[in-house]
Amino acid sequence: MEVFSEIVTLGSEGDRVSLRDIFTLFQRVAGDHVDSLNLGRAYFDAIGAAWVLTSEHMVVTAMPAPGQTVKVSTWPGDTKFALFPRYFLLEDLEGNELIGAGSLWSIMDLKARKILYPEQSGVSVTGIVTGRETPLAKTVRSVKSEPVLDMTVTAADIDVNGHMNNAVYLDWLEQVLGGDFFAAGGAVKELTITYKKELLLGDTARIRIARDESALTMQGLHEDKTAFSVAVAF
């Protein structure tokens, strides 16, 4: 097993690269990697399953600029029960680290909407250690305040697995942060997101928020259960 890398030129629309842009890029490159291992969509369509993201922890040294050409690398860690660690590294072409991320993935039976263990899916991945792994996500603390807004899943939010795309949660986060945050030069330096319960078309998440000058925690509840939690440090 080797590190898988691609050279990518980021989209030039708008005046900044969004958190969703980074998550979408990481997902695409991860997909390219598993395709190269014959563990992509063709394999999982045959067994009625799919890769699903469970959590991700991202550390931002510097956000890339729109139109910038960067190197994106990804590699797997050792499988932990039904969890498959995957790491990402985004660098400029001089080798300076911009963003690192550590994520956990599972395999979901799309009919039963349940997680499969490796012996059930037939998937075996050999992990590697590079010394550049970003730590995996830790538990995000619960927000105790009352919900302050509702967000509803639309048809545009749904991915090929039938639930809200992982990256759309970052759109919701940026809505909560507000345009003034970025307009004033605000930047996210660290982000952790955990997915507890999938959101489907038409589902409404009730959003709890805790915020101070250096951090924000956002918790989404559906049917009184935590669907996702995201924490950012500024």
Side-chain angles (χ1 to χ4, degrees):
M1 183 72 67
E2 297 179 352
V3 172
F4 180 87
S5 298
E6 293 184 5
I7 302 298
V8 177
T9 299
L10 299 169
S12 57
E13 295 183 5
D15 57 359
R16 68 181 181 87
V17 174
S18 70
L19 295 169
R20 177 179 181 164
D21 292 334
I22 298 301
F23 265 57
T24 299
L25 174 61
F26 285 170
Q27 286 183 122
R28 183 184 66 74
V29 174
D32 290 345
H33 187 207
V34 294
D35 282 343
S36 75
L37 300 173
N38 296 316
L39 291 174
R41 181 151 302 280
Y43 178 88
F44 284 102
D45 282 350
I47 65 171
W51 289 107
V52 292
L53 183 62
T54 301
S55 67
E56 187 153 347
H57 174 224
M58 188 167 74
V59 177
V60 181
T61 302
M63 285 292 283
Q68 183 175 354
T69 300
V70 295
K71 179 181 178 181
V72 189
S73 301
T74 185
W75 62 98
D78 289 331
T79 303
K80 305 174 186 297
F81 302 105
L83 297 173
F84 296 80
R86 175 167 289 277
Y87 301 95
F88 299 92
L89 181 64
L90 185 68
E91 304 170 277
D92 65 21
L93 296 187
E94 286 71 49
N96 299 305
E97 181 172 336
L98 302 175
I99 300 173
S103 61
L104 284 174
W105 298 73
S106 295
I107 297 170
M108 184 173 70
D109 182 312
L110 293 175
K111 183 176 181 180
R113 312 307 287 188
K114 293 183 178 180
I115 299 302
L116 298 177
Y117 283 86
E119 59 270 21
Q120 295 172 302
S121 65
V123 173
S124 177
V125 178
T126 302
I128 61 174
V129 177
T130 69
R132 305 189 73 180
E133 288 78 14
T134 299
L136 299 171
K138 295 182 179 179
T139 301
V140 177
R141 66 183 178 88
S142 180
V143 179
K144 300 301 183 183
S145 61
E146 290 298 313
V148 294
L149 74 158
D150 293 342
M151 292 183 167
T152 300
V153 182
T154 69
D157 300 329
I158 299 299
D159 64 16
V160 295
N161 296 327
H163 57 208
M164 190 163 96
N165 186 280
N166 301 316
V168 177
Y169 294 83
L170 281 302
D171 281 343
W172 287 8
L173 171 66
E174 291 202 352
Q175 289 179 45
V176 169
L177 288 173
D180 290 346
F181 172 82
F182 296 102
V188 171
K189 296 300 182 184
E190 189 170 2
L191 180 150
T192 298
I193 185 165
T194 59
Y195 305 91
K196 298 295 186 181
K197 180 179 184 291
E198 61 180 346
L199 293 176
L200 306 176
L201 178 63
D203 285 349
T204 295
R206 307 211 67 202
I207 307 299
R208 293 174 174 172
I209 298 170
R211 185 172 186 171
D212 58 32
E213 293 182 355
S214 62
L216 178 146
T217 302
M218 172 177 162
Q219 182 180 15
L221 293 92
H222 179 249
E223 297 178 343
D224 296 324
K225 295 182 179 180
T226 299
F228 72 96
S229 298
V230 55
V232 294
F234 310 136

